[in-house]
Amino acid sequence: MLRFAGFELDSERAELRRPDGGTIRLRPKSLEILRLLAGNAGRVLSKQQLMEAAWPNVHVGEDSLFQCIREIRTALGDDKRQVVRVISGRGYLFQAEVTGAQATEAGVTEVAVPAAPDIAPVSQPERASPDTTVAVATNREPAKRFFDFSRRRIAFASVAGLAILCTAVAVWMLRPGLIFARGPTSIAVMPIADASNDPLVAQMAADVSGRLTDGLAKIENIRVLAPEAAAPKADFVVKGELQKSERAWTIRTRMTEAATGEVKWTASYQVNPADTDLQMQQSRLAAGVGHALALRINELLNADTRSAAKSKVVIEQATAHINQTSPERFKAAQAILEQALTEDPDNTDVQIALAALLMRGVQMVWVSGAERETAESKAEAMLQQTLRAKPNHIPANEAYCRFLNATNQFRSSLVACARALSFDPWNGIALYHVGLAQIQTGRFEDALATFKQADRFDTPQVSRWTWMIGAGWANMLMGRAEDAVPWLLKSIAITAASGRTHMLLAAAYQQMGRTEEARAAMEKGRELRPGSTVQSVPTPKKNSSPIYIEATERIMQLMAAAGLPEG
């Protein structure tokens, strides 16, 4: 047990507990990095040391470490980076007093990390010298024979017990239907092929291969093997081809099971070269297939064939009702999902769908007052139950990330969203919700960077308008109206039915002195959101940073000047 700044890190239970005793959700790798840092408090650890200790014999990029550091800082409330400090050119320093079961009189017992050339070796605690050991002798031969016999008996029993244990484990691992019991699933990513003789295409294929491999290496419950002679050792092999035409880059990929050659997944993705620069094209090609591949891998690892087909039909029926948004349709969809859950209480797919539906009802104000509290409590209970059953399930983690954001639990949301990204680093929806939480906690620059990252990945494309409005909103909160306008206009071009986007655009035009355009945009926003006022448009202030509240008030003044009624 390590204790620091009111927190407790319980290595045996793999838990981080807050000063109030509550448990903070951290990904296993983030917990391991925190254990290494806290176990070496006061000592600078290089990136190389941390990565080699947390990901031994596995290729990962530095982004994996950065993501863990961000998650740790969020969990500790270390916004000013005073606990986990960056020592320029050297690495990270955990600057907090650490005590606990692993502490010694001289300080904290160090947790082993690989040595790095730029880190001076740290002396280990002195061991007792051989001449201080007292040898106890006895001339009682019967007693000697008894102890020799006892040692032989204990040794025999230990060997026999180990053999029984190994046999039991082997039987368990070889059970029929247990596909991934041998440990983390291994994926070999072969270099993406290029059928042409064009050097540009060959280079593009190599760059996309690298981005895809680096992204997959961030997924915490799989191992990515280097392509050199790795395919025979891997559980799955990913291959792809890249083609270029006048109108598009096209990548086609497939994943096969190495042992059987069975195709488990195929996908294709296109990017228009005219829309973006070369770096963006590479990013979107890798993300387009990587996102779909991550979802497929996660589906295989969390397969529940017993109820998958039935739940799919039920969820489609409920979705057909809710697509035409109205309180009546909402109630109909709710009845369908609740009936399905009554018939199959442990169906995680239906639990996630119903929880998401209830939160949509809250956000659309189709439930209010006491019903709202009941709906939120019911949604949270179902999502937590689902996560206990399937802690690595992407839909469950993504839904919980969204739920925590919707209920203004922003710090917890950042952790939950980071966990969703640990199984799909290209998940644009999770990135969008990370950005929203960063906005509410006053970290506008970080939020803008997150929304831009989501735009670089552009997956899933159906959500593209959300991170564009997010980027516009972040710019407006920082008073950058001219930077906000292009993002907001692109968002409206994709989805013109969001009144909030038009109102933000009105505020931007008002700040720029383009008053006629501001009033036109506000009129359109009020048409889409009738009854909106200065009092009703802002998000709830619960748990929001004072920095965010102050910036929001400035935006609301601009909206009022553009024609939004006061109340």
Side-chain angles (χ1 to χ4, degrees):
M1 182 82 70
L2 296 176
R3 298 182 177 88
F4 47 86
F7 293 87
E8 289 186 348
L9 178 59
D10 189 336
S11 297
E12 290 186 1
R13 300 182 63 179
E15 287 183 353
L16 176 65
R17 291 188 284 274
R18 294 190 296 265
D20 62 5
T23 300
I24 300 174
R25 289 179 175 273
L26 282 179
R27 294 178 299 129
K29 291 300 182 186
S30 297
L31 271 171
E32 177 65 11
I33 294 294
L34 177 56
R35 186 182 70 86
L36 292 167
L37 291 168
N40 292 272
R43 176 189 178 197
V44 178
L45 299 180
S46 69
K47 296 175 187 176
Q48 177 187 347
Q49 286 177 299
L50 290 169
M51 291 169 69
E52 289 181 359
W55 291 275
N57 304 317
V58 178
H59 169 73
V60 296
E62 289 187 357
D63 282 351
S64 298
L65 175 61
F66 297 157
Q67 185 176 339
C68 290
I69 295 294
R70 283 198 300 269
E71 186 176 347
I72 290 167
R73 285 174 171 154
T74 298
L76 301 180
D78 187 21
D79 296 339
K80 296 184 179 179
R81 305 184 179 187
Q82 297 300 306
V83 178
V84 181
R85 293 183 53 202
V86 176
I87 306 302
S88 181
R90 297 184 64 194
Y92 292 97
L93 172 68
F94 194 83
Q95 189 161 318
E97 183 179 350
V98 181
T99 61
Q102 297 183 35
T104 68
E105 292 182 2
V108 176
T109 301
E110 292 170 0
V111 178
V113 293
D118 60 330
I119 303 296
V122 178
S123 59
Q124 299 298 321
E126 294 183 2
R127 301 181 183 275
S129 59
D131 60 1
T132 62
T133 303
V134 178
V136 179
T138 177
N139 59 2
R140 297 177 181 175
E141 191 63 29
K144 182 176 184 298
R145 286 198 302 269
F146 172 78
F147 286 117
D148 287 345
F149 172 74
S150 297
R151 282 195 293 269
R152 287 196 298 271
R153 184 171 59 183
I154 291 170
F156 175 78
S158 299
V159 172
L162 182 60
I164 292 170
L165 177 61
C166 291
T167 302
V169 170
V171 170
W172 180 81
M173 290 176 65
L174 296 174
R175 288 181 301 163
L178 191 59
I179 302 175
F180 302 114
R182 293 180 294 101
T185 300
S186 56
I187 311 287
V189 182
M190 298 294 105
I192 293 174
D194 160 35
S196 72
N197 294 320
D198 188 338
L200 174 63
V201 180
Q203 184 60 51
M204 189 73 162
D207 291 338
V208 173
S209 291
R211 288 175 182 263
L212 180 60
T213 302
D214 288 346
L216 289 172
K218 296 176 184 178
I219 299 177
E220 73 172 42
N221 59 340
I222 67 172
R223 289 189 307 131
V224 177
L225 305 181
E228 296 84 6
K233 304 175 185 177
D235 295 304
F236 296 101
V237 179
V238 176
K239 295 182 179 180
E241 303 86 32
L242 182 67
Q243 294 179 337
K244 185 179 185 299
S245 66
E246 292 183 2
R247 296 185 177 181
W249 287 101
T250 302
I251 183 171
R252 295 181 176 85
T253 48
R254 61 196 172 278
M255 180 176 71
T256 57
E257 190 171 7
T260 64
E262 180 184 356
V263 177
K264 292 290 186 178
W265 167 85
T266 62
S268 63
Y269 196 81
Q270 286 190 334
V271 170
N272 188 338
D275 291 343
T276 57
D277 59 30
L278 192 62
Q279 292 288 323
M280 184 78 86
Q281 293 163 30
Q282 294 170 1
S283 178
R284 289 189 172 179
L285 284 168
V289 296
H291 172 62
L293 178 55
L295 292 176
R296 178 55 178 154
I297 293 170
N298 195 261
E299 182 183 22
L300 289 171
L301 293 172
N302 292 275
D304 185 4
T305 56
R306 177 184 59 84
S307 57
K310 182 179 179 181
S311 60
K312 181 179 180 181
V313 172
V314 170
I315 293 169
E316 286 176 352
Q317 289 175 343
T319 304
H321 279 271
I322 202 62
N323 277 343
Q324 299 181 25
T325 52
S326 71
E328 294 74 24
R329 292 277 181 173
F330 166 75
K331 291 292 184 184
Q334 183 179 357
I336 291 172
L337 292 173
E338 287 181 341
Q339 178 61 35
L341 202 56
T342 301
E343 296 172 359
D344 188 1
D346 296 326
N347 191 310
T348 54
D349 292 331
V350 176
Q351 287 174 344
I352 294 168
L354 180 54
L357 177 72
L358 291 173
M359 289 313 301
R360 185 172 184 183
V362 169
Q363 292 174 312
M364 296 297 292
V365 201
W366 292 331
V367 293
S368 57
E371 284 185 337
R372 176 191 178 102
E373 294 181 8
T374 301
E376 288 184 1
S377 298
K378 187 174 181 179
E380 184 168 22
M382 284 190 293
L383 290 173
Q384 289 179 346
Q385 180 181 343
T386 300
L387 286 170
R388 283 193 294 270
K390 294 183 176 181
N392 299 340
H393 194 33
I394 290 175
N397 282 284
E398 182 186 299
Y400 194 50
C401 149
R402 299 170 74 172
F403 168 83
L404 291 169
N405 237 335
T407 53
N408 285 46
Q409 301 177 64
F410 303 120
R411 295 194 181 279
S412 296
S413 175
L414 285 169
V415 176
C417 296
R419 182 158 179 79
L421 288 166
S422 73
F423 303 112
D424 176 11
W426 299 282
N427 190 326
I429 294 174
L431 283 169
Y432 169 65
H433 283 276
V434 168
L436 291 184
Q438 289 169 330
I439 275 182
Q440 296 281 353
T441 51
R443 296 160 53 189
F444 304 145
E445 287 284 7
D446 288 345
L448 181 59
T450 300
F451 293 134
K452 287 182 176 180
Q453 177 75 300
D455 189 53
R456 281 193 291 273
F457 292 157
D458 201 36
T459 52
Q461 292 184 356
V462 69
S463 299
R464 182 186 294 171
W465 71 277
T466 60
W467 50 76
M468 288 183 172
I469 185 178
W473 188 16
N475 275 304
M476 280 302 298
L477 288 165
M478 292 184 285
R480 304 172 185 170
E482 291 186 0
D483 293 332
V485 167
W487 287 104
L488 296 172
L489 288 175
K490 285 191 289 186
S491 179
I492 290 170
I494 298 168
T495 301
S498 172
R500 188 179 296 275
T501 317
H502 291 277
M503 291 180 184
L504 273 173
L505 182 62
Y509 282 147
Q510 186 69 32
Q511 182 177 327
M512 296 167 65
R514 296 161 61 175
T515 54
E516 290 187 8
E517 290 166 288
R519 290 198 170 274
M522 180 57 69
E523 184 177 346
K524 182 63 177 179
R526 292 181 62 193
E527 177 185 325
L528 293 168
R529 290 175 61 101
S532 295
T533 67
V534 170
Q535 305 303 318
S536 66
V537 168
T539 58
K541 297 180 181 179
K542 177 184 175 183
N543 296 332
S544 295
S545 162
I547 298 172
Y548 166 76
I549 294 173
E550 181 182 350
T552 298
E553 289 174 353
R554 292 196 298 269
I555 292 177
M556 297 316 300
Q557 291 172 3
L558 291 168
M559 287 188 183
L564 183 65
E566 290 286 347

